[in-house]
């Protein structure tokens, strides 16, 4: 969901802003405005957030005391209790849990090796959703997903398919689309060609012996095969071995798989708004509480949880009279990694309250500095969005006509909630994402504080606005 | 063994060089000189080496086709056959194997985890020489080796000792002394205090989930305990957990240990000298063929093998008339990692030929650019050494009063062979050293070529000299 009027254009418009704007249907709605009193508070709030260590302390606590927290695991349940207690300790007015049930996937062990004349171990990790299995077979290399998808049915019978696609590095993470498509579609393509197993070069931009996991899926009607990602150096090693020109056999052994269902929880903390009626409306910010099991989920997505928990905390600490009109709702979403389960449950639960969602935004792209801001604001709220952008500018953030809702607020945005994008610099994100290397030491405390300041300013101003940003339930029929 | 006259001072002296110099015993020996004809060849040899990809191809071949090659393993034996064939393919005149026998240590598996309220896996690796064992116990942290060594006998009974010493980064690797001392002495200190197991922060400068292995030893009379190194992020995690103030228990399970003896080989290639009698003298260069098992031994020490094999090859390719007087002997040493076994066997075998070793030098500090040069040259050869330094200058190398023989030529240097030091930039070396991350992608082909050019020039000039550099058997009694 993207507004047809870009924020950049809106900033120009804001200079000569009219008091009213026409909706697409022709009715005239008042321009949303952010009160001057709110702007007067923002400088101090921003500066205080920049100096404050709360986000770092929250992130350190989560990644240290809980560590990895695969959805449905014992540690995931521990993380839910942790989040509940942390919201309370941070002065949130209301803390509640929303149950989220999903299929449970577990990893017990994995190994791989080249066998034969060049025998040597290979470092890989099972993709989330892979079945268990041990396969020893010749490897057939494909340069990319399209090449594998072009393999005729039966052409890989008794073989292991290997897609050696190299993901590109970029600030906005745009290289992850083609990179993660290999992960999500590769296994099914391999099965169609008859393969006994699937391996891929990790969807990542680093060059360490740390493979990148992530969820995969198998198309209906196909029998799943063991599917795994090699670390980048291992993928390059395998390619060099294949380039020797002799058949190369590898053995992969994955001990993992689905085991019933589990129930975890969205953990929700609220800082109640100051206005008697508007406090029933919410600005939603958050991150996801679950992580992959290989690292400690620092950049994915402990950072998002920490940034938004701390932002709410900074607003909670304000004198009651200075609180924004609306409620700040911070959500630590359950099981994002395996299919946005928490985000979908939340959206479903809010179907009757779409219009009460002022704006929704998720931090789920690491802990790099925020460089861009955008919203899906309706025309009547573009000038207000532009003023938020103005308040973010001292943090090095510019209005950009790009972005979208984060993954867990995607489902509610699809139902009609207006979204904001606080775009983080993800240049290094895919060095760490879904790997054992996603640990606390990779986070820059100053960048984390910049993120927290941005979310604090954004949430405060959005919750203080006179008027909304265009959230409205979409007719079911209007869905694509 | 270090000359009392530094090379830097010698360069000044060389300007007014006399034809004769006095030895410490007062006898007068002729000044060693490098013929102008040799210098005339050096520019072309240097430039050709810089443009040549042989070292890279050798390194790629070794790390890809053999991979990790733990001393005594099947892959180590494969590496010996590989080296023998590679010397022949590179045009060496003579290739021979020298058996080296040593105790065989094997790694089968290892794992660790925090247990209890903060349950989570930890990434570690057994230290070479560690016995097998599973220990679950409370961890006691020590900031450094001295703190552990000060622990009273019995004070760690039933505990796991943890030394959290942070190794410093430096160009010359000087941080490795204190870092590796934790590894070599820590386990014995832990045993004396009663500990059931020993863990340490890896002796490394990186921040990845790749622990650094390396040999340890246990003092006579002590019963060895399981001993391992945590990756740097895991050591920091464990320290943070301990800082919570509650007892922290971990479980470590190591499946590894000694298993009889193995015989591997020093693999030796020679490029025969052009002089009828001086060809019986040798310039020895080399690296070690074995590696730790976690990576593919690219920087430690595939690079050293590749650089020196390629240097000898460049000299072998010269027209016979342009060959240096003496023989270039390139040695791929066996089992450096577990105690310089290959270097010791070689030195023992050459006891009667110390004076025939013109100069000895080993490349075993990665693949960073060479920045410094030094030798142990006797006073009568300092001017010649200074002229070699001059020939290396266009490669960005300066004469420095530091360095020493490489590890495997240390034993023969101790017997009296004159050594040279071609000092590599090791700033990043301990990011990779002894880890899974020691792989081909970490090597810069241009830096590798610079190393090769330096070894080619050095070996060529040293082998062309009129006169020696001071090698002479040391009287046994003169040993310290």
């Amino acid at each position: 969901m993207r507004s047809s009027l870009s924020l950049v254009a809106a900033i120009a418009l804001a200079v000569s802003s009219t008091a009213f704007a026409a909706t697409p249907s022709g009715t005239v709605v008042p321009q949303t405005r952010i009160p001057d009193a709110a702007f007067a508070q923002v400088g101090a709030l921003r500066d205080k957030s920049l100096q404050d260590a709360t986000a770092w302390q929250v992130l350190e606590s989560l990644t240290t005391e809980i560590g990895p927290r695969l959805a449905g695991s014992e540690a995931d349940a521990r993380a839910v209790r942790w989040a509940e207690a942390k919201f309370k300790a941070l002065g949130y007015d209301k803390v509640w849990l929303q149950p989220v049930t999903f299929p449970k996937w577990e990893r017990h062990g994995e190994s791989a090796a080249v066998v034969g004349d060049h025998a040597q171990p290979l470092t890989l990790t099972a993709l989330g959703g892979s079945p268990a299995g041990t396969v020893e077979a010749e490897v057939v290399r494909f340069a990319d997903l399209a090449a594998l998808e072009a393999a005729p049915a039966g052409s890989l019978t008794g073989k292991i398919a290997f897609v050696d696609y190299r993901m590109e590095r970029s600030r906005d993470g745009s290289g992850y689309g083609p990179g993660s498509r290999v992960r999500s579609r590769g296994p099914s393509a391999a099965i169609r060609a008859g393969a006994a197993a699937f391996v891929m070069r990790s969807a990542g931009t680093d060059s360490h012996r740390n493979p990148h996991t992530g969820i995969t899926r198998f198309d209906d009607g196909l029998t799943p095969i063991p599917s795994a990602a090699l670390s980048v150096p291992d993928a390059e090693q395998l390619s060099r071995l294949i380039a020797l020109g002799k058949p190369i056999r590898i053995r992969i052994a994955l001990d993992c798989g689905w085991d019933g269902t589990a129930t975890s929880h969205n953990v929700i903390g609220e800082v109640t708004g100051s206005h008697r009626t508007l406090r029933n409306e919410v600005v939603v910010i958050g991150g996801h509480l679950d992580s992959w099991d290989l690292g400690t989920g620092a950049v994915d997505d402990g950072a998002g949880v920490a940034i938004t928990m701390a932002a709410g905390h900074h607003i909670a600490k304000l004198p009651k009279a200075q609180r924004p009109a609306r409620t700040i709702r911070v959500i630590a979403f359950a099981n994002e990694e395996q299919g946005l389960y928490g985000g979908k449950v939340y959206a479903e639960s809010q179907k009757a309250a779409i219009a009460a969602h002022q704006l929704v935004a998720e931090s789920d792209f690491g802990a790099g500095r925020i460089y861009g801001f955008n919203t899906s604001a309706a025309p009547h709220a573009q000038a207000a969005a532009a003023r938020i952008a103005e308040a973010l500018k001292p943090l090095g953030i510019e209005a950009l006509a790009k972005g979208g809702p984060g993954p867990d607020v995607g489902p509610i945005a699809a139902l009609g909630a207006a979204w904001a994008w606080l775009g983080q610099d993800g240049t290094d994100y895919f060095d760490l994402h879904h790997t054992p290397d996603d640990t606390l030491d990779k986070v820059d405390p100053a960048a984390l504080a910049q993120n927290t300041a941005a979310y604090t300013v954004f949430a405060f101003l959005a919750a203080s606005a006179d008027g909304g940003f265009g959230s409205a339930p979409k007719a079911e029929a209007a869905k694509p």
Side-chain angles (χ1 to χ4, degrees), chain A:
Chain A
M1 183 181 151
R2 290 278 292 280
S3 165
S4 58
L5 177 63
S6 84
L7 181 51
V8 175
I11 288 172
L13 268 180
V15 176
S16 60
S17 62
T18 54
F20 296 89
T23 66
S25 58
T27 57
V28 171
V29 278
Q31 282 278 3
T32 295
R33 291 193 175 280
I34 296 174
D36 290 342
F39 275 103
Q41 283 181 256
V42 149
L45 204 51
R46 187 176 55 219
D47 294 347
K48 203 171 170 191
S49 302
L50 275 178
Q51 299 305 319
D52 186 271
T54 301
W56 180 264
Q57 289 157 357
V58 170
L59 181 59
E60 177 174 339
S61 171
L62 173 58
T63 57
T64 302
E65 296 167 42
I66 311 301
R69 42 200 183 276
L70 188 68
S73 66
E74 175 277 331
D76 185 31
R78 213 173 347 123
V80 167
R81 296 194 300 275
W82 170 92
E84 193 178 11
K86 194 62 75 179
F87 274 127
K88 289 176 181 167
L90 290 172
Y92 280 71
D93 302 306
K94 188 178 164 192
V95 183
W96 47 291
L97 303 187
Q98 184 173 46
V100 179
T101 299
F102 46 82
K104 182 179 174 184
W105 185 81
E106 296 179 321
R107 183 196 316 272
H108 304 294
E110 52 212 4
S111 66
V114 177
V115 295
D117 290 349
H118 307 292
Q120 54 187 290
L122 292 171
T123 300
L124 53 53
T125 192
L127 299 181
S130 172
T134 298
V135 176
E136 181 182 318
E138 186 185 336
V139 181
V140 181
R141 178 184 179 274
F142 297 91
D144 54 28
L145 180 63
L148 173 59
E149 288 181 332
S155 64
L156 295 179
T157 302
K159 306 277 175 68
I160 296 175
F162 165 39
V163 179
D164 194 25
Y165 175 77
R166 178 192 297 263
M167 178 183 153
E168 293 296 330
R169 183 184 296 277
S170 64
R171 185 169 72 160
D172 66 1
S174 53
Y176 187 55
S180 63
R181 264 197 294 283
V182 175
R183 197 178 70 217
S184 54
R185 294 193 199 161
S188 293
I191 295 166
R192 287 196 186 90
F198 169 84
V199 296
M200 62 181 282
R201 179 184 168 118
S202 282
T205 51
D206 63 300
S207 194
H208 295 291
R209 299 290 291 286
N210 291 310
H212 297 238
T213 188
I215 198 73
T216 190
R217 52 189 58 78
F218 299 91
D219 292 346
D220 288 347
L222 300 180
T223 302
I225 56 175
S227 298
L230 292 158
S231 87
V232 168
D234 288 86
E236 293 180 350
Q237 181 82 334
L238 187 53
S239 281
R240 279 190 297 266
L241 284 165
I242 291 169
L244 295 174
K246 302 177 288 185
I248 297 294
R249 293 176 69 82
I250 69 171
R251 184 187 63 249
I252 75 171
L254 308 183
D255 180 7
C256 57
W258 297 104
D259 182 21
T261 61
T263 296
S264 186
H265 297 83
N266 290 332
V267 186
I268 305 177
E270 291 188 355
V271 179
T272 309
S274 59
H275 188 278
R276 194 174 47 85
T277 55
L278 287 178
R279 68 171 51 149
N280 297 321
E281 298 185 9
V282 292
V283 171
V284 168
I285 57 176
H288 63 84
L289 189 56
D290 68 308
S291 78
W292 282 106
D293 51 334
L294 304 178
T296 62
V299 305
D300 187 15
D301 182 30
V305 170
I307 289 161
T308 56
M309 270 192 172
H313 165 72
H314 293 318
I315 295 171
K317 278 196 308 184
L318 291 173
K320 293 274 174 184
Q322 290 179 28
R323 284 244 186 127
R326 290 176 193 75
T327 291
I328 310 296
R329 180 178 289 170
V330 180
I331 310 181
F333 288 98
N335 198 351
E336 184 271 349
E337 293 295 1
Q338 298 173 26
L340 312 181
Y341 287 96
K344 287 172 183 168
V345 165
Y346 178 73
E348 186 66 27
S349 74
Q350 300 294 312
K351 267 190 163 170
I354 298 301
H357 282 72
Q358 176 79 339
L359 274 171
V360 299
E362 184 183 21
S363 171
D364 183 24
F365 195 48
R369 283 177 185 271
I370 295 172
Y371 67 93
F373 178 70
N374 196 9
T375 71
S376 67
H380 71 272
Q382 287 282 345
R387 290 216 70 190
I388 297 176
E390 222 172 273
L392 294 173
K393 214 168 181 180
L395 294 169
I397 299 168
E398 57 176 338
L400 293 173
K402 61 186 295 184
D408 295 299
V409 297
I412 196 163
L415 294 178
W419 54 260
W421 173 74
L422 288 85
Q424 295 167 296
D425 186 329
T427 307
D428 301 330
Y429 184 60
F430 292 104
D431 292 348
L432 307 168
H433 174 256
H434 296 188
T435 75
D437 243 353
D438 180 3
T439 50
L440 180 64
D441 51 294
K442 310 307 186 302
V443 175
D444 171 12
L448 194 73
Q450 187 258 13
N451 273 268
T452 305
Y455 268 90
T456 305
V457 166
F458 157 74
F460 178 83
L461 292 178
S464 301
D466 288 335
F469 287 79
S471 292
K474 285 190 183 170
E476 292 287 327
K479 280 192 186 170

